[in-house]
Amino acid sequence: MASIGNLTLDAPFFQAGLAGYSDAAMRLVARRHGCPYCVTEAMLDVFLINGGKGLKEVELDPEDHPIAGQLMGSHPKEIAQAAKILVNLGYDVIDVNIACPVKKVRRRSRGGHLLCRPDDAVAVLEAVREAVPSEVPATVKLRRGTDDSAEAERDFHKIFQKVMELGYAAATVHPRSVEQKYLGPSRWEFLRELVKQYVPRRTVPAIPCGATDAGPIVPGGADAFQIFGSGDIFAVEDIFRMIAETGVAAVSVARGCIGNPWIFAQARALANGDREGAGRGPSIAQQRQVLLEHFELSCRLHGERKASMTMRKFGIKFSRHHPESEAVAKAFIAVHNSSQWRAVVDEFYGGAEMNVANQRLG
Ligand SMILES: Cc1cc2nc3c(=O)[nH]c(=O)nc-3n(C[C@H](O)[C@H](O)[C@H](O)COP(=O)(O)O)c2cc1C
């Protein structure tokens, strides 16, 4: 069982922070499909401090727990203040992002930039840990370094050791370098070495295996520092392969769950040894239901106009499950309002008769 401080996850996977995607609507859909824990997209500390209308969108639905609010910043005082705001808003965990490779973010000395400034990174981490009450776990998201140089590796370990000393509950490591962005594979061997070095009680099985065979991994127990892994998780098997090959306590699902909340239900099935359930893709009726539900949640959160724009990119991802994916994606891209969304769903995922049938079942 994975844990984050005093918080126990009943399954070893969770939804990653995904800027532009992992809003409350996406998170609620994921949870309804078995996701035990979610991370928000990275929020700028100054955005929270300045308050205003935007704060409405970071208020939490009672169903949206446990959740980590992820922060990005460069000034210890500001990020500490923002961390307190998130705690007051009811976030269960505060996660600090020192991973983001986006140029605009790094130019302002935030995100992945901090990986090559270990002293600044530590100052930020220290300020957050001090600002947050001890019962609220703090966690961190990192990449494996700025680039492939020996200096970058030294900086990573300097920061990582401090993460543990400061009392951080967990670290999610995406073993691509900042320079690498998303090009090339995520280096899982880095994760395996990290687990061996920092949490050696989690012994890694020699043979890559499925969920039910993940035998010799010994969890550290509540309050023990945990390493979570990220990178190249596109199908349910990848989740358990990463655990088996690296020994991470839990896996962060990112691009693999955009337009694919079913990956969480499949992962639950695989964790229970149900290989047939794990291999079952969503039926057209299930896709229809999620498309309508996700759109409605998005409207509630953002209003119809913004939701219609936001949902287009989700529509493209969802369309991959449909036999006519190209036509479906094209239709979703042209949507401007909820009746047009509904019309696309009715055209490709069954119309009025299916509604009646669903109502009878409900
Ligand atoms: C569009 C996009 C937005 C992302 N936004 C965030 C973010 O806000 N916070 C974060 O920690 N990681 C963010 N990430 C990184 C992912 O959480 C994850 O570490 C990365 O995609 C590697 O996992 P994958 O290869 O399985 O997708 C983002 C990734 C993508 C593709």
Side-chain angles (χ1 to χ4, degrees), residues 15-22 39-43 70 72 95-102 141-143 172-176 181-182 184 186 229-234 242 251-258:
Q15 183 173 281
L18 285 159
Y21 291 96
S22 61
V39 182
T40 65
E41 59 185 308
M43 295 177 260
Q70 189 182 76
M72 217 157 45
D95 190 47
V96 181
N97 181 314
I98 52 175
C100 181
V102 173
K141 167 77 181 285
L142 316 94
R143 284 191 173 226
T172 301
V173 180
H174 176 196
R176 285 190 174 91
K181 294 200 172 106
Y182 291 90
S186 172
S230 168
D232 291 342
I233 305 297
F234 295 111
M242 178 183 267
V251 171
S252 161
V253 186
R255 285 174 292 178
C257 67
I258 302 177

mmCIF file of all heavy atoms in Angstrom, residues 15-22 39-43 70 72 95-102 141-143 172-176 181-182 184 186 229-234 242 251-258, ligand 1:
data_model
loop_
_atom_site.group_PDB
_atom_site.id
_atom_site.type_symbol
_atom_site.label_atom_id
_atom_site.label_comp_id
_atom_site.label_asym_id
_atom_site.label_seq_id
_atom_site.Cartn_x
_atom_site.Cartn_y
_atom_site.Cartn_z
ATOM 1 N N GLN A 15 -3.527 10.065 -10.475
ATOM 2 C CA GLN A 15 -3.541 10.945 -11.649
ATOM 3 C C GLN A 15 -2.533 12.076 -11.454
ATOM 4 O O GLN A 15 -2.560 12.780 -10.444
ATOM 5 C CB GLN A 15 -4.936 11.517 -11.886
ATOM 6 C CG GLN A 15 -4.995 12.373 -13.141
ATOM 7 C CD GLN A 15 -6.406 12.805 -13.499
ATOM 8 O OE1 GLN A 15 -7.184 12.044 -14.070
ATOM 9 N NE2 GLN A 15 -6.752 14.024 -13.139
ATOM 10 N N ALA A 16 -1.691 12.264 -12.438
ATOM 11 C CA ALA A 16 -0.621 13.272 -12.386
ATOM 12 C C ALA A 16 -1.168 14.685 -12.525
ATOM 13 O O ALA A 16 -2.294 14.895 -12.976
ATOM 14 C CB ALA A 16 0.338 13.013 -13.542
ATOM 15 N N GLY A 17 -0.319 15.638 -12.195
ATOM 16 C CA GLY A 17 -0.596 17.017 -12.554
ATOM 17 C C GLY A 17 -0.393 17.156 -14.059
ATOM 18 O O GLY A 17 0.614 16.696 -14.596
ATOM 19 N N LEU A 18 -1.363 17.773 -14.738
ATOM 20 C CA LEU A 18 -1.297 17.939 -16.195
ATOM 21 C C LEU A 18 -1.838 19.316 -16.546
ATOM 22 O O LEU A 18 -3.059 19.529 -16.559
ATOM 23 C CB LEU A 18 -2.159 16.862 -16.873
ATOM 24 C CG LEU A 18 -1.589 15.442 -16.894
ATOM 25 C CD1 LEU A 18 -2.688 14.422 -17.109
ATOM 26 C CD2 LEU A 18 -0.524 15.310 -17.980
ATOM 27 N N ALA A 19 -0.934 20.253 -16.782
ATOM 28 C CA ALA A 19 -1.369 21.620 -17.062
ATOM 29 C C ALA A 19 -2.315 21.654 -18.256
ATOM 30 O O ALA A 19 -2.049 21.041 -19.289
ATOM 31 C CB ALA A 19 -0.145 22.491 -17.330
ATOM 32 N N GLY A 20 -3.419 22.346 -18.079
ATOM 33 C CA GLY A 20 -4.401 22.468 -19.161
ATOM 34 C C GLY A 20 -5.382 21.302 -19.206
ATOM 35 O O GLY A 20 -6.299 21.306 -20.034
ATOM 36 N N TYR A 21 -5.180 20.308 -18.376
ATOM 37 C CA TYR A 21 -6.076 19.143 -18.379
ATOM 38 C C TYR A 21 -6.635 18.790 -16.999
ATOM 39 O O TYR A 21 -7.839 18.656 -16.832
ATOM 40 C CB TYR A 21 -5.341 17.907 -18.928
ATOM 41 C CG TYR A 21 -5.027 17.976 -20.391
ATOM 42 C CD1 TYR A 21 -3.777 18.413 -20.835
ATOM 43 C CD2 TYR A 21 -5.971 17.610 -21.354
ATOM 44 C CE1 TYR A 21 -3.469 18.482 -22.186
ATOM 45 C CE2 TYR A 21 -5.674 17.667 -22.703
ATOM 46 C CZ TYR A 21 -4.427 18.102 -23.111
ATOM 47 O OH TYR A 21 -4.132 18.174 -24.449
ATOM 48 N N SER A 22 -5.731 18.613 -16.016
ATOM 49 C CA SER A 22 -6.181 17.954 -14.775
ATOM 50 C C SER A 22 -6.920 18.909 -13.844
ATOM 51 O O SER A 22 -6.569 19.083 -12.680
ATOM 52 C CB SER A 22 -4.993 17.306 -14.059
ATOM 53 O OG SER A 22 -4.027 18.264 -13.699
ATOM 54 N N VAL A 39 -3.386 14.909 -8.397
ATOM 55 C CA VAL A 39 -2.555 16.107 -8.225
ATOM 56 C C VAL A 39 -3.120 17.169 -9.170
ATOM 57 O O VAL A 39 -3.485 16.852 -10.308
ATOM 58 C CB VAL A 39 -1.081 15.806 -8.601
ATOM 59 C CG1 VAL A 39 -0.196 17.031 -8.376
ATOM 60 C CG2 VAL A 39 -0.555 14.615 -7.815
ATOM 61 N N THR A 40 -3.182 18.410 -8.701
ATOM 62 C CA THR A 40 -3.671 19.482 -9.584
ATOM 63 C C THR A 40 -2.599 19.806 -10.614
ATOM 64 O O THR A 40 -1.441 19.410 -10.456
ATOM 65 C CB THR A 40 -3.923 20.786 -8.801
ATOM 66 O OG1 THR A 40 -2.668 21.264 -8.310
ATOM 67 C CG2 THR A 40 -4.906 20.584 -7.669
ATOM 68 N N GLU A 41 -2.959 20.579 -11.606
ATOM 69 C CA GLU A 41 -1.921 21.115 -12.485
ATOM 70 C C GLU A 41 -1.109 22.122 -11.661
ATOM 71 O O GLU A 41 -1.575 22.601 -10.619
ATOM 72 C CB GLU A 41 -2.535 21.783 -13.714
ATOM 73 C CG GLU A 41 -3.478 22.913 -13.424
ATOM 74 C CD GLU A 41 -4.140 23.439 -14.694
ATOM 75 O OE1 GLU A 41 -3.426 23.760 -15.645
ATOM 76 O OE2 GLU A 41 -5.377 23.518 -14.731
ATOM 77 N N ALA A 42 0.088 22.430 -12.113
ATOM 78 C CA ALA A 42 0.943 23.354 -11.367
ATOM 79 C C ALA A 42 0.298 24.738 -11.301
ATOM 80 O O ALA A 42 -0.151 25.272 -12.316
ATOM 81 C CB ALA A 42 2.308 23.445 -12.039
ATOM 82 N N MET A 43 0.240 25.287 -10.086
ATOM 83 C CA MET A 43 -0.331 26.627 -9.906
ATOM 84 C C MET A 43 0.796 27.575 -9.511
ATOM 85 O O MET A 43 1.637 27.234 -8.663
ATOM 86 C CB MET A 43 -1.360 26.619 -8.772
ATOM 87 C CG MET A 43 -2.583 25.784 -9.056
ATOM 88 S SD MET A 43 -3.704 25.771 -7.633
ATOM 89 C CE MET A 43 -3.299 24.202 -6.880
ATOM 90 N N GLN A 70 -0.569 21.462 -6.367
ATOM 91 C CA GLN A 70 0.834 21.600 -6.794
ATOM 92 C C GLN A 70 1.212 23.060 -7.015
ATOM 93 O O GLN A 70 0.504 23.797 -7.706
ATOM 94 C CB GLN A 70 1.088 20.814 -8.076
ATOM 95 C CG GLN A 70 2.572 20.757 -8.407
ATOM 96 C CD GLN A 70 2.845 20.031 -9.700
ATOM 97 O OE1 GLN A 70 2.630 20.570 -10.777
ATOM 98 N NE2 GLN A 70 3.321 18.806 -9.607
ATOM 99 N N MET A 72 4.167 26.140 -7.960
ATOM 100 C CA MET A 72 5.394 26.471 -8.659
ATOM 101 C C MET A 72 5.763 27.903 -8.270
ATOM 102 O O MET A 72 4.882 28.778 -8.257
ATOM 103 C CB MET A 72 5.132 26.390 -10.167
ATOM 104 C CG MET A 72 6.285 25.857 -10.909
ATOM 105 S SD MET A 72 5.853 25.127 -12.491
ATOM 106 C CE MET A 72 4.738 26.250 -13.254
ATOM 107 N N ASP A 95 2.267 19.858 -2.971
ATOM 108 C CA ASP A 95 3.298 19.315 -3.848
ATOM 109 C C ASP A 95 4.065 20.477 -4.494
ATOM 110 O O ASP A 95 3.450 21.428 -4.977
ATOM 111 C CB ASP A 95 2.612 18.466 -4.942
ATOM 112 C CG ASP A 95 3.606 17.655 -5.757
ATOM 113 O OD1 ASP A 95 4.479 17.018 -5.156
ATOM 114 O OD2 ASP A 95 3.490 17.649 -7.003
ATOM 115 N N VAL A 96 5.379 20.404 -4.482
ATOM 116 C CA VAL A 96 6.186 21.482 -5.069
ATOM 117 C C VAL A 96 6.760 21.001 -6.399
ATOM 118 O O VAL A 96 7.400 19.950 -6.458
ATOM 119 C CB VAL A 96 7.352 21.876 -4.124
ATOM 120 C CG1 VAL A 96 8.175 23.012 -4.732
ATOM 121 C CG2 VAL A 96 6.822 22.288 -2.759
ATOM 122 N N ASN A 97 6.517 21.780 -7.444
ATOM 123 C CA ASN A 97 7.001 21.399 -8.774
ATOM 124 C C ASN A 97 8.381 21.991 -9.032
ATOM 125 O O ASN A 97 8.531 23.214 -9.120
ATOM 126 C CB ASN A 97 5.998 21.874 -9.840
ATOM 127 C CG ASN A 97 6.426 21.491 -11.253
ATOM 128 O OD1 ASN A 97 7.581 21.671 -11.636
ATOM 129 N ND2 ASN A 97 5.503 20.964 -12.028
ATOM 130 N N ILE A 98 9.399 21.117 -9.126
ATOM 131 C CA ILE A 98 10.704 21.578 -9.619
ATOM 132 C C ILE A 98 11.078 20.674 -10.807
ATOM 133 O O ILE A 98 12.143 20.065 -10.842
ATOM 134 C CB ILE A 98 11.792 21.642 -8.521
ATOM 135 C CG1 ILE A 98 11.912 20.345 -7.739
ATOM 136 C CG2 ILE A 98 11.516 22.750 -7.547
ATOM 137 C CD1 ILE A 98 13.087 20.394 -6.748
ATOM 138 N N ALA A 99 10.149 20.621 -11.731
ATOM 139 C CA ALA A 99 10.288 19.700 -12.864
ATOM 140 C C ALA A 99 9.922 20.327 -14.207
ATOM 141 O O ALA A 99 10.432 19.907 -15.245
ATOM 142 C CB ALA A 99 9.386 18.483 -12.634
ATOM 143 N N CYS A 100 9.052 21.322 -14.180
ATOM 144 C CA CYS A 100 8.451 21.803 -15.434
ATOM 145 C C CYS A 100 9.514 22.296 -16.436
ATOM 146 O O CYS A 100 10.323 23.170 -16.127
ATOM 147 C CB CYS A 100 7.473 22.929 -15.131
ATOM 148 S SG CYS A 100 6.676 23.545 -16.610
ATOM 149 N N PRO A 101 9.509 21.739 -17.668
ATOM 150 C CA PRO A 101 10.541 22.094 -18.648
ATOM 151 C C PRO A 101 10.149 23.258 -19.558
ATOM 152 O O PRO A 101 10.918 23.622 -20.456
ATOM 153 C CB PRO A 101 10.647 20.808 -19.475
ATOM 154 C CG PRO A 101 9.249 20.258 -19.471
ATOM 155 C CD PRO A 101 8.622 20.673 -18.163
ATOM 156 N N VAL A 102 8.964 23.829 -19.354
ATOM 157 C CA VAL A 102 8.491 24.885 -20.264
ATOM 158 C C VAL A 102 9.384 26.126 -20.128
ATOM 159 O O VAL A 102 9.654 26.582 -19.016
ATOM 160 C CB VAL A 102 7.012 25.233 -19.958
ATOM 161 C CG1 VAL A 102 6.533 26.431 -20.757
ATOM 162 C CG2 VAL A 102 6.128 24.019 -20.215
ATOM 163 N N LYS A 141 7.789 17.148 -6.952
ATOM 164 C CA LYS A 141 7.868 16.529 -8.273
ATOM 165 C C LYS A 141 9.163 16.999 -8.923
ATOM 166 O O LYS A 141 9.416 18.211 -9.012
ATOM 167 C CB LYS A 141 6.657 16.984 -9.110
ATOM 168 C CG LYS A 141 6.737 16.680 -10.601
ATOM 169 C CD LYS A 141 6.436 15.214 -10.876
ATOM 170 C CE LYS A 141 6.522 14.876 -12.349
ATOM 171 N NZ LYS A 141 5.420 15.331 -13.148
ATOM 172 N N LEU A 142 10.003 16.053 -9.349
ATOM 173 C CA LEU A 142 11.276 16.425 -9.968
ATOM 174 C C LEU A 142 11.495 15.662 -11.269
ATOM 175 O O LEU A 142 10.934 14.576 -11.450
ATOM 176 C CB LEU A 142 12.468 16.044 -9.091
ATOM 177 C CG LEU A 142 12.511 16.285 -7.609
ATOM 178 C CD1 LEU A 142 12.053 15.065 -6.862
ATOM 179 C CD2 LEU A 142 13.924 16.623 -7.181
ATOM 180 N N ARG A 143 12.347 16.211 -12.104
ATOM 181 C CA ARG A 143 12.921 15.440 -13.211
ATOM 182 C C ARG A 143 14.287 14.939 -12.754
ATOM 183 O O ARG A 143 14.771 15.343 -11.700
ATOM 184 C CB ARG A 143 13.032 16.298 -14.459
ATOM 185 C CG ARG A 143 11.672 16.485 -15.133
ATOM 186 C CD ARG A 143 11.812 17.100 -16.478
ATOM 187 N NE ARG A 143 10.510 17.118 -17.163
ATOM 188 C CZ ARG A 143 10.310 16.757 -18.422
ATOM 189 N NH1 ARG A 143 11.343 16.364 -19.161
ATOM 190 N NH2 ARG A 143 9.118 16.801 -18.972
ATOM 191 N N THR A 172 7.827 12.457 -6.457
ATOM 192 C CA THR A 172 7.513 11.830 -7.743
ATOM 193 C C THR A 172 8.619 12.216 -8.709
ATOM 194 O O THR A 172 8.883 13.403 -8.925
ATOM 195 C CB THR A 172 6.157 12.318 -8.287
ATOM 196 O OG1 THR A 172 5.150 12.009 -7.327
ATOM 197 C CG2 THR A 172 5.816 11.649 -9.607
ATOM 198 N N VAL A 173 9.271 11.208 -9.262
ATOM 199 C CA VAL A 173 10.404 11.483 -10.143
ATOM 200 C C VAL A 173 10.048 11.080 -11.574
ATOM 201 O O VAL A 173 9.644 9.944 -11.839
ATOM 202 C CB VAL A 173 11.667 10.729 -9.671
ATOM 203 C CG1 VAL A 173 12.840 11.029 -10.602
ATOM 204 C CG2 VAL A 173 12.016 11.119 -8.235
ATOM 205 N N HIS A 174 10.189 12.053 -12.466
ATOM 206 C CA HIS A 174 10.023 11.805 -13.897
ATOM 207 C C HIS A 174 11.435 11.728 -14.469
ATOM 208 O O HIS A 174 12.098 12.770 -14.628
ATOM 209 C CB HIS A 174 9.216 12.950 -14.520
ATOM 210 C CG HIS A 174 9.071 12.847 -15.999
ATOM 211 N ND1 HIS A 174 8.682 13.906 -16.788
ATOM 212 C CD2 HIS A 174 9.255 11.803 -16.852
ATOM 213 C CE1 HIS A 174 8.652 13.522 -18.052
ATOM 214 N NE2 HIS A 174 8.981 12.250 -18.116
ATOM 215 N N PRO A 175 11.916 10.526 -14.762
ATOM 216 C CA PRO A 175 13.331 10.414 -15.126
ATOM 217 C C PRO A 175 13.656 10.772 -16.573
ATOM 218 O O PRO A 175 14.407 10.062 -17.244
ATOM 219 C CB PRO A 175 13.665 8.965 -14.782
ATOM 220 C CG PRO A 175 12.386 8.239 -14.917
ATOM 221 C CD PRO A 175 11.279 9.219 -14.673
ATOM 222 N N ARG A 176 13.121 11.871 -17.042
ATOM 223 C CA ARG A 176 13.637 12.528 -18.248
ATOM 224 C C ARG A 176 14.362 13.763 -17.742
ATOM 225 O O ARG A 176 14.037 14.279 -16.675
ATOM 226 C CB ARG A 176 12.501 12.959 -19.196
ATOM 227 C CG ARG A 176 11.868 11.821 -19.971
ATOM 228 C CD ARG A 176 10.923 12.356 -21.051
ATOM 229 N NE ARG A 176 10.423 11.284 -21.899
ATOM 230 C CZ ARG A 176 9.301 10.605 -21.669
ATOM 231 N NH1 ARG A 176 8.542 10.898 -20.633
ATOM 232 N NH2 ARG A 176 8.928 9.648 -22.480
ATOM 233 N N LYS A 181 12.893 17.420 -22.380
ATOM 234 C CA LYS A 181 11.436 17.675 -22.441
ATOM 235 C C LYS A 181 10.687 16.348 -22.516
ATOM 236 O O LYS A 181 10.680 15.603 -21.562
ATOM 237 C CB LYS A 181 11.109 18.591 -23.610
ATOM 238 C CG LYS A 181 11.691 19.982 -23.399
ATOM 239 C CD LYS A 181 11.020 21.016 -24.259
ATOM 240 C CE LYS A 181 11.482 22.390 -23.887
ATOM 241 N NZ LYS A 181 12.392 22.992 -24.846
ATOM 242 N N TYR A 182 10.095 16.036 -23.706
ATOM 243 C CA TYR A 182 9.391 14.742 -23.822
ATOM 244 C C TYR A 182 10.016 13.856 -24.895
ATOM 245 O O TYR A 182 9.450 12.827 -25.256
ATOM 246 C CB TYR A 182 7.893 14.979 -24.114
ATOM 247 C CG TYR A 182 7.226 15.574 -22.907
ATOM 248 C CD1 TYR A 182 7.164 16.944 -22.739
ATOM 249 C CD2 TYR A 182 6.734 14.763 -21.896
ATOM 250 C CE1 TYR A 182 6.612 17.504 -21.592
ATOM 251 C CE2 TYR A 182 6.180 15.294 -20.752
ATOM 252 C CZ TYR A 182 6.125 16.671 -20.618
ATOM 253 O OH TYR A 182 5.590 17.208 -19.479
ATOM 254 N N GLY A 184 12.397 11.152 -26.500
ATOM 255 C CA GLY A 184 13.093 9.953 -26.044
ATOM 256 C C GLY A 184 12.427 9.359 -24.816
ATOM 257 O O GLY A 184 11.533 9.971 -24.227
ATOM 258 N N SER A 186 11.603 7.716 -21.081
ATOM 259 C CA SER A 186 11.793 8.014 -19.663
ATOM 260 C C SER A 186 12.744 6.947 -19.115
ATOM 261 O O SER A 186 12.544 5.760 -19.364
ATOM 262 C CB SER A 186 10.415 7.918 -18.992
ATOM 263 O OG SER A 186 10.505 8.018 -17.623
ATOM 264 N N GLY A 229 6.942 7.014 -9.325
ATOM 265 C CA GLY A 229 7.555 7.114 -10.647
ATOM 266 C C GLY A 229 6.613 7.712 -11.683
ATOM 267 O O GLY A 229 5.389 7.589 -11.585
ATOM 268 N N SER A 230 7.222 8.346 -12.667
ATOM 269 C CA SER A 230 6.456 8.946 -13.762
ATOM 270 C C SER A 230 7.210 8.735 -15.069
ATOM 271 O O SER A 230 8.447 8.688 -15.073
ATOM 272 C CB SER A 230 6.278 10.443 -13.500
ATOM 273 O OG SER A 230 5.801 11.099 -14.650
ATOM 274 N N GLY A 231 6.450 8.619 -16.156
ATOM 275 C CA GLY A 231 7.096 8.579 -17.471
ATOM 276 C C GLY A 231 6.791 7.342 -18.272
ATOM 277 O O GLY A 231 7.063 6.226 -17.827
ATOM 278 N N ASP A 232 6.175 7.568 -19.439
ATOM 279 C CA ASP A 232 5.860 6.492 -20.382
ATOM 280 C C ASP A 232 4.858 5.487 -19.815
ATOM 281 O O ASP A 232 5.014 4.272 -19.977
ATOM 282 C CB ASP A 232 7.135 5.772 -20.836
ATOM 283 C CG ASP A 232 7.993 6.660 -21.724
ATOM 284 O OD1 ASP A 232 7.450 7.662 -22.254
ATOM 285 O OD2 ASP A 232 9.196 6.376 -21.878
ATOM 286 N N ILE A 233 3.827 6.009 -19.186
ATOM 287 C CA ILE A 233 2.736 5.155 -18.700
ATOM 288 C C ILE A 233 1.555 5.377 -19.638
ATOM 289 O O ILE A 233 0.810 6.352 -19.502
ATOM 290 C CB ILE A 233 2.356 5.522 -17.236
ATOM 291 C CG1 ILE A 233 3.569 5.460 -16.317
ATOM 292 C CG2 ILE A 233 1.213 4.620 -16.731
ATOM 293 C CD1 ILE A 233 4.206 4.090 -16.160
ATOM 294 N N PHE A 234 1.420 4.501 -20.605
ATOM 295 C CA PHE A 234 0.362 4.691 -21.602
ATOM 296 C C PHE A 234 -0.728 3.631 -21.538
ATOM 297 O O PHE A 234 -1.807 3.809 -22.072
ATOM 298 C CB PHE A 234 0.974 4.740 -23.005
ATOM 299 C CG PHE A 234 1.877 5.939 -23.172
ATOM 300 C CD1 PHE A 234 3.248 5.791 -23.290
ATOM 301 C CD2 PHE A 234 1.352 7.224 -23.170
ATOM 302 C CE1 PHE A 234 4.081 6.900 -23.406
ATOM 303 C CE2 PHE A 234 2.164 8.344 -23.288
ATOM 304 C CZ PHE A 234 3.536 8.175 -23.405
ATOM 305 N N MET A 242 6.262 -0.781 -14.249
ATOM 306 C CA MET A 242 7.156 0.192 -13.608
ATOM 307 C C MET A 242 7.387 -0.179 -12.140
ATOM 308 O O MET A 242 8.519 -0.135 -11.640
ATOM 309 C CB MET A 242 6.590 1.619 -13.702
ATOM 310 C CG MET A 242 7.478 2.642 -13.005
ATOM 311 S SD MET A 242 6.837 4.313 -13.012
ATOM 312 C CE MET A 242 7.599 5.004 -14.473
ATOM 313 N N VAL A 251 2.669 4.881 -8.968
ATOM 314 C CA VAL A 251 2.948 5.367 -10.318
ATOM 315 C C VAL A 251 1.997 6.513 -10.670
ATOM 316 O O VAL A 251 0.794 6.438 -10.437
ATOM 317 C CB VAL A 251 2.802 4.201 -11.327
ATOM 318 C CG1 VAL A 251 2.873 4.695 -12.762
ATOM 319 C CG2 VAL A 251 3.873 3.157 -11.069
ATOM 320 N N SER A 252 2.589 7.546 -11.229
ATOM 321 C CA SER A 252 1.834 8.722 -11.640
ATOM 322 C C SER A 252 1.403 8.530 -13.108
ATOM 323 O O SER A 252 2.249 8.347 -13.980
ATOM 324 C CB SER A 252 2.779 9.926 -11.498
ATOM 325 O OG SER A 252 2.349 11.002 -12.238
ATOM 326 N N VAL A 253 0.104 8.553 -13.345
ATOM 327 C CA VAL A 253 -0.397 8.339 -14.708
ATOM 328 C C VAL A 253 -0.670 9.711 -15.326
ATOM 329 O O VAL A 253 -1.438 10.500 -14.767
ATOM 330 C CB VAL A 253 -1.686 7.477 -14.706
ATOM 331 C CG1 VAL A 253 -2.106 7.139 -16.133
ATOM 332 C CG2 VAL A 253 -1.482 6.202 -13.889
ATOM 333 N N ALA A 254 -0.033 9.999 -16.446
ATOM 334 C CA ALA A 254 -0.121 11.350 -17.025
ATOM 335 C C ALA A 254 -0.788 11.314 -18.400
ATOM 336 O O ALA A 254 -2.014 11.240 -18.497
ATOM 337 C CB ALA A 254 1.261 11.979 -17.059
ATOM 338 N N ARG A 255 0.011 11.306 -19.471
ATOM 339 C CA ARG A 255 -0.618 11.342 -20.801
ATOM 340 C C ARG A 255 -1.525 10.144 -21.021
ATOM 341 O O ARG A 255 -2.502 10.229 -21.750
ATOM 342 C CB ARG A 255 0.472 11.417 -21.874
ATOM 343 C CG ARG A 255 1.107 12.803 -21.955
ATOM 344 C CD ARG A 255 2.273 12.823 -22.909
ATOM 345 N NE ARG A 255 3.405 12.044 -22.424
ATOM 346 C CZ ARG A 255 4.540 11.867 -23.092
ATOM 347 N NH1 ARG A 255 4.678 12.407 -24.284
ATOM 348 N NH2 ARG A 255 5.529 11.159 -22.581
ATOM 349 N N GLY A 256 -1.219 9.050 -20.350
ATOM 350 C CA GLY A 256 -2.002 7.821 -20.526
ATOM 351 C C GLY A 256 -3.419 7.894 -19.995
ATOM 352 O O GLY A 256 -4.221 6.990 -20.264
ATOM 353 N N CYS A 257 -3.751 8.944 -19.223
ATOM 354 C CA CYS A 257 -5.145 9.011 -18.725
ATOM 355 C C CYS A 257 -5.908 10.183 -19.322
ATOM 356 O O CYS A 257 -7.070 10.400 -18.975
ATOM 357 C CB CYS A 257 -5.188 9.026 -17.201
ATOM 358 S SG CYS A 257 -4.514 10.501 -16.423
ATOM 359 N N ILE A 258 -5.312 10.925 -20.238
ATOM 360 C CA ILE A 258 -6.066 12.016 -20.872
ATOM 361 C C ILE A 258 -7.052 11.389 -21.862
ATOM 362 O O ILE A 258 -6.648 10.692 -22.793
ATOM 363 C CB ILE A 258 -5.134 13.017 -21.594
ATOM 364 C CG1 ILE A 258 -4.118 13.614 -20.611
ATOM 365 C CG2 ILE A 258 -5.965 14.138 -22.226
ATOM 366 C CD1 ILE A 258 -3.096 14.556 -21.261
HETATM 367 C C1 LIG B 1 0.352 18.577 -21.312
HETATM 368 C C2 LIG B 1 1.167 18.222 -20.101
HETATM 369 C C3 LIG B 1 1.060 19.015 -18.959
HETATM 370 C C4 LIG B 1 1.788 18.696 -17.822
HETATM 371 N N1 LIG B 1 1.630 19.452 -16.696
HETATM 372 C C5 LIG B 1 2.224 19.076 -15.544
HETATM 373 C C6 LIG B 1 1.975 19.791 -14.326
HETATM 374 O O1 LIG B 1 1.241 20.774 -14.289
HETATM 375 N N2 LIG B 1 2.574 19.324 -13.207
HETATM 376 C C7 LIG B 1 3.398 18.213 -13.203
HETATM 377 O O2 LIG B 1 3.909 17.817 -12.171
HETATM 378 N N3 LIG B 1 3.670 17.558 -14.350
HETATM 379 C C8 LIG B 1 3.094 17.953 -15.496
HETATM 380 N N4 LIG B 1 3.331 17.241 -16.637
HETATM 381 C C9 LIG B 1 4.239 16.071 -16.593
HETATM 382 C C10 LIG B 1 3.471 14.793 -16.313
HETATM 383 O O3 LIG B 1 2.874 14.807 -15.037
HETATM 384 C C11 LIG B 1 4.381 13.560 -16.411
HETATM 385 O O4 LIG B 1 5.414 13.658 -15.470
HETATM 386 C C12 LIG B 1 4.974 13.404 -17.803
HETATM 387 O O5 LIG B 1 3.997 13.591 -18.802
HETATM 388 C C13 LIG B 1 5.626 12.033 -17.988
HETATM 389 O O6 LIG B 1 4.678 11.019 -17.924
HETATM 390 P P1 LIG B 1 4.098 10.295 -19.265
HETATM 391 O O7 LIG B 1 5.287 10.051 -20.150
HETATM 392 O O8 LIG B 1 3.483 9.020 -18.715
HETATM 393 O O9 LIG B 1 3.113 11.236 -19.860
HETATM 394 C C14 LIG B 1 2.654 17.563 -17.808
HETATM 395 C C15 LIG B 1 2.768 16.792 -18.964
HETATM 396 C C16 LIG B 1 2.042 17.104 -20.095
HETATM 397 C C17 LIG B 1 2.176 16.235 -21.312
#
